[in-house]
Amino acid sequence: EVQLVESGGGLVQAGGSLTLSCKTSGFTFDDYTIGWYRQVPGKEREGISCMIRNDGSTYYADSVKGRFTISRDNAKNTGYLQLHSLRPEDTAVYYCTASSHWGSSCLWDYFDITYWGNGTLVTVSS
């Protein structure tokens, strides 16, 4: 059974930091591009970061560039997203994804996402 389990969300004040984790199982983690999307109820989901399988290239949405950092630990089958300098507009449910994307399309081509996690809520208070 494929599982992607996010953790690390919570309530934080503006300017604060969080680290999200995505523990995976049931598929060969190394073979997949890992990404993070977020969604606010009533709004379109937004691809915010991804790390390409094998070559480690990273992509970020302009809205988070310079503030968020994606990483992965293939030995632990786990992906991470460090969130710094958080803003109230970062409040959303954050989803971990796994896909076969090779380039920046991992940020917007969510139709080709292979696996999704159930999400973790990040709330940033002003």
Side-chain angles (χ1 to χ4, degrees), residues 4-109:
L4 290 79
V5 180
E6 301 95 336
S7 62
L11 175 63
V12 63
Q13 286 189 328
S17 299
L18 286 173
T19 297
L20 307 183
S21 299
C22 174
K23 176 66 177 172
T24 75
S25 60
F27 64 99
T28 305
F29 182 77
D30 302 24
D31 290 346
Y32 284 82
T33 287
I34 295 299
W36 292 87
Y37 277 69
R38 68 185 181 187
Q39 189 167 24
V40 176
K43 292 190 175 182
E44 286 285 316
R45 72 190 76 187
E46 176 188 18
I48 55 173
S49 185
C50 42
M51 177 175 271
I52 305 300
R53 55 189 163 141
N54 298 329
D55 75 1
S57 299
T58 57
Y59 298 92
Y60 296 93
D62 288 343
S63 58
V64 305
K65 200 171 293 182
R67 300 188 298 121
F68 292 8
T69 302
I70 191 171
S71 62
R72 62 191 295 165
D73 185 336
N74 288 346
K76 295 182 178 180
N77 296 332
T78 301
Y80 303 94
L81 186 68
Q82 297 178 55
L83 293 67
H84 299 290
S85 302
L86 282 161
R87 306 166 181 167
E89 55 264 38
D90 293 318
T91 295
V93 177
Y94 285 69
Y95 298 92
C96 174
T97 67
S99 70
S100 298
H101 294 103
W102 278 109
S104 61
S105 59
C106 56
L107 286 179
W108 52 264
D109 181 23

